[in-house]
Amino acid sequence: MVQRPSVPTAPQLVLVTDWGATEMDPDRIYHVGRDPLCEICLDDARVSWHHAILRPDGDHWTLEDEGSTNGTFADGHRVREWSVGVGTELRFGSVEDGPRAAVIGPAPPPPPAPPPGPGTGRPSHVTNPAMTGTFRQPTTVRPLPVRTTVRIGRAPESDLVVDDLTVSRRHAELHALADGSYEIVDLGSHNGTYLNGAAVTRPTPVTEGDIVGIGHSVFCLVGDQLQEFVDTGEVSLDVQGLTVAVDRGRKTLLDQVSFPVGAKCLLAVVGPSGAGKSTLLGALTGLRPADQGTVLYDGRDLYRDYAELRSRIGLVPQDDILHLQLTVRRALTYAAELRFPQDTAKAERQARVDEVIGELGLEQRADQPIHSLSGGQRKRVSVALELLTKPSLLFLDEPTSGLDPGMDRSVMNMLRELADDGRTVIVVTHSVLNLEGCDRLLVLAPGGRIAYYGPPGEALDFFGFDQWPEAFEAFENQRDRDWAGEYRASPMHRRNVDFTAGRLPLTEQAERSAAGPPPKPPPKAQSWGSQLSTLIRRYASVLRSDRTFLIIMVALPFVMGAMTRALAGNTLNAETALNALFILCVGGVLIGAANAVRELVKERVIYQRERSVGLSRSAYLMSKVVVLGAITVAQAVVLTLVGLAGVTINAPGGRGNFMPPLLEITLAVALLSLTAMLLGLLISALVTKEEVTMPLLVLLTIVQVVFCGSLLKLTGVPVIEQLAWFVPARWAMGAMAGTIDLGAIVPGKITQDPLFDHEAHLWLLEMGMLVVLSVLFGVLVSRLLRRHEPTIMRK
């Protein structure tokens, strides 16, 4: 902005501290304090979090103390306000040896830029360079190769070794081409290679300023050098103009939400129900991107570069993302197998698991089943799972929900320690008991607007209440009050939100984000077979540890088989044949459906989280089919043999259509059970609550009983006959009846069903229809699984 000549302006000055020099622009206010978000950050315990401000005041600068604990000193005197000019010496926290700042005149114009060298240049694909910490200084600098190849990976023999377990041993290669240009090639890595945030799927040219992402490291060509920048966890998050609307824009869930989060910061998000906390969490993590606005992860557009940055974000949902039957160590070990490359040695994975267990203080609980832990300890295990890949951003949704005040405090203290260790932690919570340990507090008002953002200790005074219940009650009772407008007009907003340097104007950023292409979902994990193997072993371990399931699994086929044997007697005749086949049919349906009807809905939160970090949907579904299918088929065989072994079946000529009668009936029951198992998975994928699965199982069984063809005449009845085509029991009953020629053994109106005839082609049709229904149910399950996935993963 051009100043009119008649308006005096403060001079441009430079403030020099032990942490660097800051050029003071007369159009801005500068905050001094220990807060990493301050323009002049002084990392000294004697300095208050918000210690003082330097502001232009007409034709000079004024220093104003902000009620600091240990005081602000100018030229040897403690001051509240002081005029600052060239030569002024300032001390903060102690007049004798507190951090010193000297005011000098403006720096001379810079000389012409030198050629790129170590530490110079910055990647051009960083969206907002002023907000980044990772790209301020390269970690390593090496000369670029000439007509050679640089092998990048975790293996010690690599030309460029990346010590990161998320990196494959042979991860990628940088090729120097004959014309002096370069290209990057991914070598089938587990977690992918990324160029400017997009996955590299074929040899791709790399130019100066491009960002090549591998694990927690990025590489950039600068002049004749290859610079490496490592994301150590001390990253900022800048939220700009997030807006989310539903019902075609008629209802706004988030309304222009903007705030900065500094490195190593613990931020708590609170607000009344319906204020948009969960929506904000989805937008910040990239799982449900905002309709407008953007999220800058250390200066990089999270939505644009989500495929690469997602591995640096940890999310602990409100519900446990754990299989409670497993021990702590085993649960973390399986998670490490899924998240680390297949070529990671078992010892390397176990070392990281042990490291995380130690970091969260779980050594004494490592070999204890998770279900036996307290609520606070289970939450620690959930956090441990997310820390395996060393995320820089950690989000938690209601981590203290259902915990007593002591556990609440313990969890919040744990989060404080995690932030202090070098990561940014954001927690959404309803609890206001232990907010004093947080660096920042975000209060959302109804309508998804910011009512307050700043230090937790100043929030109640800002609202004018003594206790939080009063504030929340006011949010509910005064919905017409412009909470967001009051905050925007306050000095608190200017101090905590507006001061961030280098931010784009919100309208410009929102328009740019809305106009750009939607964020791309991350690529599929490349090791599908490895994922399937891990999922099968994990699922088998979970079932082995579930005693209730084991008891039912073993008892059910024997009980149903005994009932069949009692009805069959020694021979299948006019009195026993129909009832025996009917019980086999019902037993097959119960076995398959009961095994599967709870399996997807009870793991939904686990699936959603693992899907967001690269789990293959088909591998997950196939693991269920393989394990449950093997169990179900074994149960079906037991059921049939217990029911009919040694019984005279009375098939025509003592033979079935293709095989011995008992074998044909066993195959029909096994295929029926397998189809019913997939139908059970379909129900489990369809429902939203585990409690409704048992009533639906009863309803499913009744439908199979009615439409199997042994109670009612179905052939020739319009609509009913067509509906029966989609009932597995209908075809299984036909296959078993055809094997023994039920119509000949039990003459009657119902048994004269054309599907009961002893014909080879009919038996093949009936078995084929069971296969078709199995495939149909499997496809539907896959589609329903997609419906429950994070928005970014739906393709």
Side-chain angles (χ1 to χ4, degrees):
M1 179 181 295
V2 178
Q3 298 285 344
R4 290 178 294 179
S6 59
V7 179
T9 60
Q12 285 191 334
L13 299 176
V14 177
L15 190 73
V16 181
T17 70
D18 291 340
W19 289 270
T22 301
E23 295 186 8
M24 297 195 299
D25 187 333
D27 289 331
R28 294 190 54 204
I29 294 175
Y30 292 84
H31 295 73
V32 183
R34 210 171 67 252
D35 186 344
L37 292 176
C38 290
E39 290 89 346
I40 303 168
C41 180
L42 305 178
D43 189 11
D44 189 290
R46 294 167 294 181
V47 177
S48 296
W49 194 253
H50 295 126
H51 198 102
I53 60 172
L54 281 160
R55 54 181 170 80
D57 192 359
D59 60 353
H60 65 280
W61 287 86
T62 295
L63 172 70
E64 180 182 346
D65 185 88
E66 288 200 291
S68 64
T69 302
N70 297 315
T72 301
F73 304 87
D75 299 329
H77 305 281
R78 183 163 184 165
V79 297
R80 295 287 299 174
E81 284 193 10
W82 193 261
S83 180
V84 172
V86 175
T88 301
E89 180 179 290
L90 306 175
R91 293 222 178 238
F92 302 91
S94 171
V95 68
E96 297 176 352
D97 58 353
R100 176 181 176 273
V103 181
I104 63 175
T120 66
R122 187 170 290 174
S124 59
H125 284 82
V126 176
T127 306
N128 196 330
M131 296 304 299
T132 183
T134 301
F135 294 100
R136 285 176 184 158
Q137 187 70 26
T139 307
T140 60
V141 178
R142 61 170 58 218
L144 279 169
V146 180
R147 296 185 182 180
T148 60
T149 295
V150 176
R151 297 171 298 173
I152 306 173
R154 205 177 73 255
E157 62 269 18
S158 299
D159 300 314
L160 205 163
V161 179
V162 181
D163 187 16
D164 182 347
L165 285 184
T166 62
V167 176
S168 299
R169 292 181 64 83
R170 296 182 65 254
H171 197 103
E173 290 181 346
L174 181 66
H175 294 169
L177 305 180
D179 61 359
S181 62
Y182 297 88
E183 68 178 15
I184 188 71
V185 179
D186 183 78
L187 300 179
S189 63
H190 181 81
N191 289 314
T193 302
Y194 302 89
L195 181 64
N196 300 324
V200 174
T201 57
R202 58 178 62 89
T204 306
V206 181
T207 60
E208 184 159 343
D210 285 344
I211 300 173
V212 177
I214 296 178
H216 288 79
S217 298
V218 293
F219 301 89
C220 183
L221 305 182
V222 179
D224 59 352
Q225 296 175 337
L226 180 63
Q227 297 186 354
E228 179 183 10
F229 301 85
V230 179
D231 184 343
T232 60
E234 296 188 17
V235 299
S236 66
L237 193 71
D238 195 47
V239 182
Q240 301 188 4
L242 295 188
T243 300
V244 176
V246 294
D247 295 336
R248 298 183 179 180
R250 289 191 291 266
K251 182 178 181 181
T252 301
L253 302 182
L254 287 181
D255 190 358
Q256 289 293 315
V257 172
S258 305
F259 58 90
V261 185
K264 301 173 66 174
C265 178
L266 173 57
L267 165 66
V269 181
V270 302
S273 298
K277 299 188 296 297
S278 297
T279 304
L280 177 62
L281 189 65
L284 295 181
T285 57
L287 296 179
R288 199 295 187 190
D291 301 324
Q292 290 186 343
T294 191
V295 178
L296 294 181
Y297 172 101
D298 206 37
R300 299 180 64 182
D301 190 326
L302 175 64
Y303 295 164
R304 187 193 68 188
D305 299 347
Y306 177 75
E308 176 187 350
L309 299 178
R310 62 172 177 152
S311 62
R312 307 185 197 178
I313 298 174
L315 172 61
V316 181
Q318 181 175 348
D319 297 322
D320 292 324
I321 48 175
L322 306 159
H323 291 91
L324 302 183
Q325 299 87 348
L326 300 178
T327 64
V328 172
R329 190 184 305 278
R330 177 163 289 187
L332 295 179
T333 298
Y334 283 127
E337 286 189 40
L338 289 173
R339 300 193 183 193
F340 292 145
Q342 186 177 355
D343 58 17
T344 306
K346 182 178 179 180
E348 291 178 295
R349 289 196 302 267
Q350 200 57 56
R352 180 56 188 158
V353 169
D354 292 340
E355 183 180 353
V356 169
I357 287 175
E359 185 176 356
L360 273 299
L362 293 167
E363 297 94 335
Q364 303 301 318
R365 311 291 183 185
D367 298 311
Q368 189 172 331
I370 296 172
H371 67 77
S372 66
L373 301 178
S374 67
Q377 291 167 341
R378 283 205 302 269
K379 194 59 63 177
R380 284 179 177 268
V381 180
S382 293
V383 173
L385 188 150
E386 290 300 310
L387 293 185
L388 286 171
T389 54
K390 298 183 178 181
S392 301
L393 282 177
L394 182 62
F395 295 88
L396 300 98
D397 188 10
E398 299 289 354
T400 61
S401 177
L403 301 183
D404 60 58
M407 283 295 182
D408 184 300
R409 185 175 184 84
S410 175
V411 170
M412 294 302 292
N413 287 340
M414 172 189 70
L415 300 183
R416 177 70 267 169
E417 293 172 1
L418 292 175
D420 292 339
D421 284 343
R423 58 182 65 85
T424 300
V425 181
I426 299 177
V427 53
V428 173
T429 179
H430 276 106
S431 174
V432 293
L433 296 177
N434 298 287
L435 297 178
E436 68 277 359
C438 300
D439 301 311
R440 286 288 185 271
L441 174 65
L442 172 65
V443 182
L444 289 176
R449 297 182 177 184
I450 294 182
Y452 175 84
Y453 180 77
E458 302 176 22
L460 283 175
D461 288 340
F462 175 80
F463 290 126
F465 298 110
D466 295 325
Q467 297 180 346
W468 278 107
E470 298 174 357
F472 279 82
E473 189 177 63
F475 286 138
E476 293 295 333
N477 297 335
Q478 304 176 31
R479 287 185 172 267
D480 294 334
R481 181 174 172 181
D482 188 6
W483 298 95
E486 292 177 15
Y487 177 68
R488 282 196 305 270
S490 70
M492 192 74 68
H493 182 272
R494 292 191 295 272
R495 181 192 309 166
N496 295 305
V497 177
D498 278 348
F499 76 90
T500 308
R503 303 174 78 204
L504 293 175
L506 295 182
T507 54
E508 175 188 342
Q509 184 62 62
E511 289 173 0
R512 187 179 72 175
S513 178
K520 295 181 179 180
K524 288 184 178 180
Q526 298 182 22
S527 186
W528 186 91
S530 176
Q531 284 194 8
L532 178 62
S533 172
T534 301
L535 290 169
I536 287 175
R537 287 184 286 108
R538 183 180 70 177
Y539 189 36
S541 296
V542 170
L543 294 182
R544 283 198 303 268
S545 303
D546 190 339
R547 294 183 180 178
T548 302
F549 177 84
L550 288 176
I551 293 172
I552 295 175
M553 179 185 71
V554 172
L556 186 58
F558 283 99
V559 171
M560 298 302 297
M563 293 173 60
T564 304
R565 187 57 173 259
L567 291 173
N570 295 322
T571 182
L572 296 182
N573 53 36
E575 296 180 355
T576 63
L578 184 60
N579 290 335
L581 296 186
F582 173 74
I583 294 300
L584 282 178
C585 202
V586 174
V589 169
L590 272 177
I591 284 172
N595 284 344
V597 76
R598 296 168 54 248
E599 293 307 298
L600 297 182
V601 65
K602 75 179 184 181
E603 289 187 358
R604 184 154 296 155
V605 176
I606 298 175
Y607 172 71
Q608 289 172 337
R609 179 60 193 135
E610 292 184 339
R611 180 77 174 117
S612 68
V613 294
L615 180 70
S616 167
R617 182 194 310 147
S618 58
Y620 176 77
L621 179 56
M622 186 57 67
S623 71
K624 298 294 184 185
V625 173
V626 169
V627 176
L628 288 178
I631 293 172
T632 298
V633 168
Q635 289 175 299
V637 171
V638 171
L639 163 64
T640 310
L641 293 181
V642 171
L644 294 182
V647 175
T648 302
I649 294 179
N650 283 330
R655 296 190 300 273
N657 293 287
F658 296 97
M659 294 166 280
L662 182 58
L663 181 56
E664 281 193 4
I665 293 175
T666 302
L667 288 176
V669 175
L671 191 51
L672 169 64
S673 297
L674 193 62
T675 309
M677 181 267 292
L678 284 160
L679 184 55
L681 288 178
L682 179 60
I683 293 174
S684 191
L686 186 64
V687 301
T688 57
K689 294 182 179 179
E690 189 176 345
E691 294 79 11
V692 303
T693 56
M694 288 301 107
L696 288 176
L697 176 62
V698 174
L699 178 61
L700 170 65
T701 306
I702 293 174
V703 170
Q704 303 298 316
V705 168
V706 171
F707 285 93
C708 70
S710 63
L711 299 180
L712 301 174
K713 177 178 172 56
L714 302 175
T715 305
V717 181
V719 181
I720 298 298
E721 181 179 12
Q722 286 71 42
L723 288 176
W725 294 347
F726 297 95
V727 177
R730 169 68 168 148
W731 303 103
M733 188 69 185
M736 291 187 291
T739 293
I740 67 173
D741 197 3
L742 183 64
I745 298 176
V746 186
K749 182 179 179 180
I750 292 179
T751 58
Q752 303 311 307
D753 191 321
L755 291 181
F756 291 178
D757 291 346
H758 184 73
E759 299 287 346
H761 72 279
L762 284 177
W763 190 86
L764 290 177
L765 171 66
E766 290 153 349
M767 298 294 282
M769 284 301 299
L770 287 172
V771 173
V772 169
L773 289 176
S774 296
V775 174
L776 174 62
F777 296 153
V779 171
L780 292 176
V781 172
S782 179
R783 300 301 297 174
L784 288 173
L785 278 177
R786 177 184 178 274
R787 188 185 69 173
H788 295 296
E789 293 172 358
T791 303
I792 191 68
M793 302 301 297
R794 299 176 192 169
K795 301 181 182 180

